Amino acid sequence: MKKFFVSILFLTLIFAGCQNKQQNTEEQNVESVTITETDLSEPETDSSISETEKEINYFPAIDRYLTDSIGSKYAKGEHCVPIHSIVRVDERDTEDIKVWGDFWVFNYNLVGDTLETVSGGSHPGLLHIRQTENGFEVTAFDQVEDGSRYLPTAKKIFGDKFNAFKIINSDEKNRERLRAEGLATYVKKNGIAATKYKDYGWPEKQIPLE
């Protein structure tokens, strides 16, 4: 759970909208935000985003949890936007859907036409989700711990998925791409007059709105 406030942020966010879910009887790998299926042990292969979104509709529940339970603990901003880079999903039990991933939360203020980062941090771990009559809800979150406990708890939580987690967690270039794409989706969905985003001490970057 390395937390980077204001000065060093390479991350992102998105509220992924999805359709009502049917139970999937197989464990699957997915990459969040763009929500494309990925086999991290082989070269990346994308499947249809729309088809995947039809199957995976608990991401709004993940976003709510990250915003309400984690984002609220940081210095507040006008906009709280989570990002999730998913390592693996196990949907075989609708009472305990397991989602392993590298989860980030960031708060922004809109200054002119620029979303400026206020706060945020990284929260890798395992989310437990269940399906209810009213939709999906997060029931528990097994988080990787800080400091000297980071490596042993990450290995314990991710298990045989640890190497896949390391690939996602260390890919700053992809994370920045997801961040920009996520911001574009967020501002369009919420009607925000932002065309750029900026971290403290870093140059402004364009939000890819086209």
Side-chain angles (χ1 to χ4, degrees), residues 49-199:
I49 293 176
S50 59
E51 287 301 315
T52 306
E53 287 180 343
K54 290 179 182 178
E55 302 245 345
I56 306 171
N57 70 341
Y58 38 77
F59 282 97
I62 293 176
D63 290 331
R64 287 194 300 272
Y65 177 83
L66 294 175
T67 300
D68 297 341
S69 299
I70 295 179
S72 61
K73 296 178 181 178
Y74 287 100
K76 295 186 181 301
E78 297 169 347
H79 304 280
C80 180
V81 196
I83 174 178
H84 24 76
S85 295
I86 304 304
V87 175
R88 182 73 59 84
V89 171
D90 183 349
E91 299 177 308
R92 290 173 290 186
D93 182 359
T94 56
E95 290 298 311
D96 187 20
I97 297 169
K98 299 178 179 67
V99 181
W100 290 266
D102 191 14
F103 306 100
W104 297 81
V105 177
F106 292 93
N107 292 316
Y108 291 84
N109 284 335
L110 182 63
V111 180
D113 64 349
T114 303
L115 284 170
E116 296 188 355
T117 306
V118 175
S119 60
S122 169
H123 298 265
L126 168 60
L127 284 167
H128 298 267
I129 303 168
R130 71 175 179 180
Q131 187 173 13
T132 71
E133 293 181 355
N134 298 319
F136 292 90
E137 65 178 10
V138 174
T139 59
F141 185 25
D142 303 330
Q143 292 194 58
V144 174
E145 297 179 27
D146 287 324
S148 63
R149 294 289 298 160
Y150 181 87
L151 189 58
T153 55
K155 287 182 175 180
K156 179 179 179 181
I157 291 169
F158 285 94
D160 62 358
K161 295 166 280 294
F162 179 69
N163 286 337
F165 163 66
K166 286 199 302 182
I167 291 171
I168 283 179
N169 181 255
S170 63
D171 193 345
E172 296 177 358
K173 182 177 180 180
N174 186 59
R175 193 157 58 235
E176 185 64 19
R177 176 184 64 82
L178 294 177
R179 179 187 189 191
E181 292 175 356
L183 279 170
T185 301
Y186 180 81
V187 299
K188 289 176 183 178
K189 180 179 179 180
N190 293 280
I192 300 170
T195 61
K196 298 185 286 291
Y197 64 102
K198 184 181 186 302
D199 294 327

Side-chain angles (χ1 to χ4, degrees), residues 21-79:
K21 171 182 179 300
Q22 308 250 337
Q23 180 176 358
N24 190 332
T25 59
E26 296 182 358
E27 188 175 279
Q28 56 182 306
N29 294 333
V30 297
E31 177 188 8
S32 179
V33 179
T34 52
I35 314 183
T36 56
E37 294 184 356
T38 302
D39 181 350
L40 293 172
S41 63
E42 300 293 338
E44 290 190 1
T45 302
D46 291 344
S47 65
S48 168
I49 293 176
S50 59
E51 287 301 315
T52 306
E53 287 180 343
K54 290 179 182 178
E55 302 245 345
I56 306 171
N57 70 341
Y58 38 77
F59 282 97
I62 293 176
D63 290 331
R64 287 194 300 272
Y65 177 83
L66 294 175
T67 300
D68 297 341
S69 299
I70 295 179
S72 61
K73 296 178 181 178
Y74 287 100
K76 295 186 181 301
E78 297 169 347
H79 304 280

